Amino acid sequence: MPDRGIPLSASDLRRLSPSPIAPGVPAAPEVTQTVTESPTPAPTSSAPRTSAPPTPSPSESRGSAPTPTQAQSAPKQTTVNGWTATDTGGKITYVRSFKVDGGQAVIQIQDQVVSLVSATPATGFTTDVAQPSPVRLVVRFTGSGQAFTIDALWFNDGPYAEVTAS
């Protein structure tokens, strides 16, 4: 045990810290301050502390939560022509929200099939939805002598939309 009259180094603190209570419990964070004399004695441990927690045996690891290396990676998102493209392991889903004076629509394209997620007309407007083919969806908001059309389709290997007002 170091002399109590001199400050302890971070390595002394790690060496003197108690070992984890149970396997898988993370080690205490590294100390970045110098510690001077404490009113209570530092705890001791019969086993030296290692830098990584013990690895569970195969029988202990069954049914346990996945480790960070086993966890699934988060889907990757990019923007393509105004569409949010989410790649979940090779399958790409495109989603886009359209807001016009006549209302708001959210449209999704997956596996070249266009589908409506939601369509909410503004006050005084109505919504008409048509799907002439699986690769095309038309949402039309009409009211107050106006019409707003959102024409979304899978075109040239990518999502495409055209918004018109009349």
Side-chain angles (χ1 to χ4, degrees):
M1 174 147 254
D3 179 2
R4 301 303 303 157
I6 58 172
L8 296 175
S9 69
S11 81
D12 286 336
L13 285 173
R14 281 192 297 276
R15 185 175 47 81
L16 295 173
S17 294
S19 40
I21 296 172
V25 174
E30 185 171 333
V31 175
T32 56
Q33 295 178 331
T34 301
V35 178
T36 57
E37 188 171 344
S38 170
T40 57
T44 60
S45 171
S46 59
R49 184 160 159 111
T50 61
S51 61
T55 304
S57 69
S59 62
E60 290 174 340
S61 63
R62 279 189 216 121
S64 63
T67 63
T69 56
Q70 295 171 328
Q72 297 294 325
S73 61
K76 295 179 183 179
Q77 286 191 339
T78 57
T79 302
V80 177
N81 298 329
W83 296 78
T84 299
T86 305
D87 185 345
T88 53
K91 189 173 211 169
I92 300 174
T93 302
Y94 300 90
V95 178
R96 186 169 176 183
S97 178
F98 299 87
K99 186 170 185 172
V100 295
D101 288 344
Q104 184 169 349
V106 179
I107 298 173
Q108 171 181 294
I109 302 177
Q110 185 176 36
D111 295 330
Q112 302 178 9
V113 176
V114 184
S115 59
L116 181 65
V117 175
S118 66
T120 308
T123 303
F125 285 81
T126 60
T127 306
D128 294 307
V129 179
Q131 186 146 21
S133 71
V135 298
R136 184 174 182 203
L137 179 80
V138 180
V139 179
R140 187 172 171 98
F141 297 106
T142 55
S144 303
Q146 295 178 303
F148 299 91
T149 304
I150 302 163
D151 192 349
L153 58 140
W154 185 258
F155 181 72
N156 282 345
D157 293 323
Y160 176 79
E162 188 172 288
V163 178
T164 56
S166 55

